[in-house]
Amino acid sequence: MSYVSKPVRKKDAMALVTGKPVFTNDLAPKDCLIVKILRSPHANAWIEEIKTGTARQVNGVVAVYTCKDVPRKRFTLAGQTYPELSPYDHYILDQRLRFVGDAVAIVAAETEEAAEKALKRIKVKYRVDEPVLDMHKAKDGKILVHPEEDWETKVPVGADNKRNLCASGVEESGDVEKILGECKYTIDRTYHTKANQQAMMETFRTYCYKDHFGRLNVVSSTQVPFHVRRILGNALDIPSSKIRVIKPRIGGGFGAKQTSVSEIYPAFVTWMTGRPSKILYSRYESQICASPRHEMEIRVRAGADENGIVRALDVYTLSNAGAYGEHSPTTVGLSGHKSIALYRHTEAYRFAYDVVYTNVQAAGAYRGYGATQGIYAVESAVNELAHMMHMDPVKLRELNMPMEGEPLPAYQDCATAPSCTMDQCMKRAKEMMSWDEKYPYKDMGNGKVRGVGVAMAMQGSSIAGIDVGGADMKLNEDGSYTLGLGCTDMGTGCDTILSQIAADCLETSIENIVVFGVDTDISPYDSGSYASATTYTTGMAVFQACQEMRKKICALGAKMLEAEPEEVNFDGEFVFTDEIHKVSLKDIAIKGTCGNTQELQVTRTHCSPISPPPFMVGMAEVEVDKETGSVKVVDYAAVVDCGTPINPNLVRVQTEGGIVQGIGMALHEDVQYTEKGKIRNNSFMQYKIPSRLDIGDVRVEIRGSYEPSGPFGAKSIGELVINTPCPAIADAVYNATGVRVRELPITPEKVAMGILKQKLEK
């Protein structure tokens, strides 16, 4: 192979480093109306009266819309395949306001100054009610976030809006209580993860215009163009056929843009006024009214026998949906399915969950999608179990980890691991970290102690039986190929990866593959870039399209050679029967445009019945200052099994980036609310994400397997890589100090107070 498993440079690399105008706002027309949103100052309130007269009189203001002006039709903002598991609980604008930052009114003006001035002139009389801010008090509480009668759920997920339940359920196998009772070692711990912001560099932004057919054209920084088209059709109460969605270059998403956060407002303005419009979220808006990770509290009960075999796991997740339910019924499932499955000998398990509405910012999709929280809890509990048993946590995992062909308990998308090198990952990570020399800690003699910690993780490769990848391959008359994709490259390099697959399938140069961005009018349908689906699912669609294209090329070439299709071969440049009798690809391409009845274009769609997990081991070395409690990650060793790495450089970059995000979640990122429900962390001054200066060495290696159901044996990599830092760092801090922090982030205050408590107890 010429390209697969090679570090090919990204196709858009030069455009990015030379500053070409490729992002949404770069492409927006100069005459766009500026769209701004008036946002609620209250966590739970009703609009009793709203006056917009003076706002409309501001010079340059074109329109001001309130809840009286929008369709009264419920919808969800979740970018998921229909029927969505997320509830239909949104209006474009509503009289009821459910969190600080909820939309009150829409202003469209010729200039930003006019729009801002108009916002200040809108007069609103609110009836303020008591909010429910604590997720522990939400279920069956007296304050209902969604009491409305037209609230709807398309799929039974245990939701009940009259109980503040967005989802609820129990899954179990075997007798958990019986097996736990038989175990020599048992543990019962509760872990708490806060909400986290994706903090992508490009904020939410969209522009819209009407074409000469009167259709709504939406250009947006989104991960899910086809889902956005359906969402807007539902919200505006118009047929999706009247909507076209185009995806330019995205400046990061990490799941945030799997929710239709920004599109709905300029879409409504353009649909009503007929004029182009755009909205650009400020960083402030992206912090207070976006789609952060779900806050979760997870109780884990685990039991092991005297030999270290984990026999039972009981996981209960309480998840905070916030004010709206997008992605809430689905993220919670991964907290159990992706964590319990890490322990192959489990004889009995129970996974129960409740997802509740509260009056805080609605949560959404974030890299890891619930698995991050669940793996933090279960891996931390297993680390605590290992300490109770006086067993090296690496040894305990070696006894219990997933193995190829062995069971994956609670994992619904594969009964057994079809491909797995977790044992090799653990062995190599242990060597990289010099684990035996460093475990559990080393006193540096200067008031600082270094400790090491370990965790393992798995994710999925698309959503089995649901996610769809699409690819369209066309042979052009110069012998080049156009690859049409419906998935979204959001900086991950999927356009490059899929071109590598195509180039090797067709035995051509990667420069000969022309890729165009997503346009719902002309791109093949694709679920979108989420759920670690792109390389695995869309990659197979590309592979299948290329195989069919080869057949078509051979058929036309054989006809030109007056031979049968089975008599010819194709080497990427010529179709031939022997060295003398051959016809070039360019001649075949030209023939395809004249007097030909065989189309040289193929569209293929792929959906996998399974979701083979990628696997990872992460080991952290931290240095703790015993006086201040400050924690610094000085070294992180990671080894991943993503099947065949299509582009090793991009695998490494993805892994490094995910680890850094995980370190941020473990040590720095802390969403906090006031007693009235206002987010304190509304800028990067208050919301700390790690910079390069905060991170020590991050070392990544690949121990690939071969996944038969993936293109060239590939699995996914995108989400897996964020899942190990939190539990590994938490245990490293414990090994260094004896302080066990079970609520993220692990701040210096928590560590210092833990050390002080130890001193006082002695």
Side-chain angles (χ1 to χ4, degrees), residues 430-642:
K430 188 176 179 181
E431 294 169 351
M432 292 168 67
M433 184 54 73
S434 301
W435 179 267
D436 289 337
E437 299 171 24
K438 295 179 178 179
Y439 178 77
Y441 71 91
K442 182 178 181 181
D443 195 322
M444 305 304 291
N446 57 355
K448 297 180 180 179
V449 183
R450 290 189 176 185
V452 292
V454 61
M456 58 186 184
M458 58 177 277
Q459 196 74 31
S461 300
S462 80
I463 305 173
I466 293 178
D467 282 349
V468 170
D472 181 273
M473 181 62 68
K474 180 172 64 175
L475 177 63
N476 303 310
E477 57 188 299
D478 63 349
S480 66
Y481 299 93
T482 298
L483 175 59
L485 299 169
C487 61
T488 297
D489 192 329
M490 50 181 165
T492 54
C494 73
D495 286 356
T496 304
I497 289 168
L498 297 172
S499 295
Q500 290 177 251
I501 292 171
D504 270 349
C505 286
L506 294 167
E507 298 181 76
T508 191
S509 165
I510 195 167
E511 285 74 26
N512 210 34
I513 306 291
V514 179
V515 187
F516 64 84
V518 186
D519 180 332
T520 57
D521 271 7
I522 58 177
S523 298
Y525 177 81
D526 194 290
S527 304
S529 294
Y530 62 91
S532 302
T534 307
T535 298
Y536 177 74
T537 302
T538 306
M540 277 305 294
V542 171
F543 183 87
Q544 292 164 4
C546 290
Q547 296 303 106
E548 185 62 24
M549 176 59 76
R550 289 184 67 96
K551 293 179 182 178
K552 287 180 176 288
I553 291 170
C554 287
L556 185 52
K559 183 177 180 181
M560 294 169 69
L561 291 170
E562 298 182 347
E564 295 299 320
E566 58 270 17
E567 296 175 344
V568 302
N569 291 299
F570 177 49
D571 63 4
E573 295 184 36
F574 295 94
V575 171
F576 57 92
T577 56
D578 53 42
E579 291 185 3
I580 299 174
H581 300 90
K582 59 185 178 181
V583 59
S584 71
L585 179 64
K586 186 173 182 179
D587 288 340
I588 293 171
I590 293 172
K591 177 62 178 174
T593 67
C594 180
N596 174 53
T597 58
Q598 301 178 39
E599 80 281 6
L600 295 176
Q601 184 168 354
V602 179
T603 300
R604 281 291 176 271
T605 292
H606 179 71
C607 178
S608 176
I610 63 171
S611 178
F615 299 97
M616 176 179 179
V617 171
M619 290 186 176
E621 182 179 13
V622 305
E623 184 173 270
V624 182
D625 187 317
K626 292 190 292 183
E627 183 174 350
T628 66
S630 66
V631 179
K632 182 177 178 60
V633 177
V634 295
D635 190 18
Y636 203 95
V639 188
V640 297
D641 164 21
C642 58

